[in-house]
Each structure stands twice: as C-alpha cells, then as structure tokens.
Amino acid sequence: MAEQLTALSIMQNAPVIPVIVLHDVDHAVSMAKALVGGGIRVLEVTLRTPQGLPSIEAIAKAVPEAIVGAGTVRSSADAKAAAAAGARFAVSPGYTHAVGQACRDLHLPLLPGVATSSEIMQAQEDGFNELKFFPAMQAGGINMLKAWQGPFGEVRFCPTGGITQANAAEFLALKNVVCVGGSWLVPTDTLERGDWERITLLAREAAALPRKAS
Ligand code: 3PG
C-alpha cells in the first residue's frame, strides 16, 4: 500500500525537491531512476510542457520508489489531470481557492506558491501552512523568509526560484525552511545527453545538504 503523504512529509523527505521540465517522455523513467539512485525520491515534474503528464504517468508506473508529483498546477483541471496521471502531490506557482479546493477534493497534498504576506494569509485561511515561496530570490530571498518568521511563525516554506547547490544551505539554515526547490538537479543538456550518472551525482550532493527545520 502506498504511504500516506502530507505536504509536510513531502517537504521533509529530502532537502531539495527537483523541479523537472521534460521535453521527451522517453527521458522520464531513466531520469527518475537517476534521482532516486542519488537519494532524491520526491520529484516535481512540471506541467509546463505537453510531456509533463505522460512523464508523470510513466514514472508512477515504472519507478515505485519515487514519489512523483505535478508542478505548475494552475487550475482545478490541472490538478485533476495530475491526479489521474498518478501524481502523488501538486505544486502551484501561486494560490487560488479553486486549486486549493480541487486538491482537497482529490486528496492530493498541495504546496501552494506564495510571494507576499497577503497570499500567505489567503492560503492559511484555506488551511495551508506548508507553502512554496516563489520566486524566492526575485521576491526577497533570505531576508523575506526571516521577516516572515515573526508574523507567520507557524508557516513552513519550500523556497524555489534562483536556488542552486551553492546557495541552498543558506536557505536550509533558516528555521522556517524545510526544503528548497530547484531545477539545477536536472539540467536540460544533461537530459539530452542521457547523462544519468551526472544527475545521480547532482542528486547525491543535494541529498547531503544539511538543514535545520523539520
Ligand atoms: C520553478 O519553475 O518552480 C522555478 O522556476 C525553478 O526555479 P529555478 O529554475 O531557478 O531553480
């Protein structure tokens, strides 16, 4: 039986959630195996290419050790399609009641994106306390997360956008950051070359990042 997941357990699984953009479904399974081989099991496959949904489906079927979710969920239709493809969680770049409600109805854990205090309040009003801070670097980075520790002390964040292996540790050292998201684990040229060893190496480095919050 599949393990029961929550937004928090997804965030706690590893220090980094890879944000994955696939242009070829044939890359999906090898890429997922490469990440899992490096210790990264939670995979966010974005719906920003037509290959996103079939890639989620392929990974869900062929790589049971992976916990594959859908990124770039922007509507209830996206959420439904993601769940139907086998996504175990959803990540949205922003937050709307419609996306929140659809994910609740589908029992799909959701990491909603926020970039302002008002958006945090909106998401909290609907019961979401584990949030993606997006786009993190562009919207205030570490200083913004520190400023939110006061009024939103109970909120836990997954900052995403502009984060790399080099600056991830600074974010992970904050008490309100459980994990970070980023596309650096799955570079496009590496996918195209089929360099799965490189992806495993990047995953291994990311999995070894220290973190403070839990
Ligand atoms: C996302 O799509 O969530 C972000 O664009 C990922 O940001 P990055 O490419 O800067 O890691």
Side-chain angles (χ1 to χ4, degrees), residues 29-39 195-197 199-201 203:
V29 168
S30 303
M31 182 243 19
K33 286 183 177 164
L35 288 169
V36 169
D195 188 351
W196 313 122
E197 281 173 25
I199 290 177
T200 297
L201 186 72

Side-chain angles (χ1 to χ4, degrees), residues 29 33-35 41 66 68 80 90 92-93 97 99-100 106 108 110 128 132 143 176 179 190 201 213:
V29 168
K33 286 183 177 164
L35 288 169
R41 292 177 59 216
V68 63
K80 282 181 199 147
S92 55
H97 295 299
V99 167
L106 292 159
L108 194 61
L110 170 68
F128 295 96
K132 162 172 165 161
N143 287 337
N176 55 347
C179 66
T190 310
L201 186 72

Side-chain angles (χ1 to χ4, degrees), residues 22 25 45-57 85:
L22 290 169
V25 181
V45 176
T46 63
L47 301 187
R48 66 188 74 164
T49 64
Q51 291 79 18
L53 280 173
S55 296
I56 290 170
E57 202 168 348

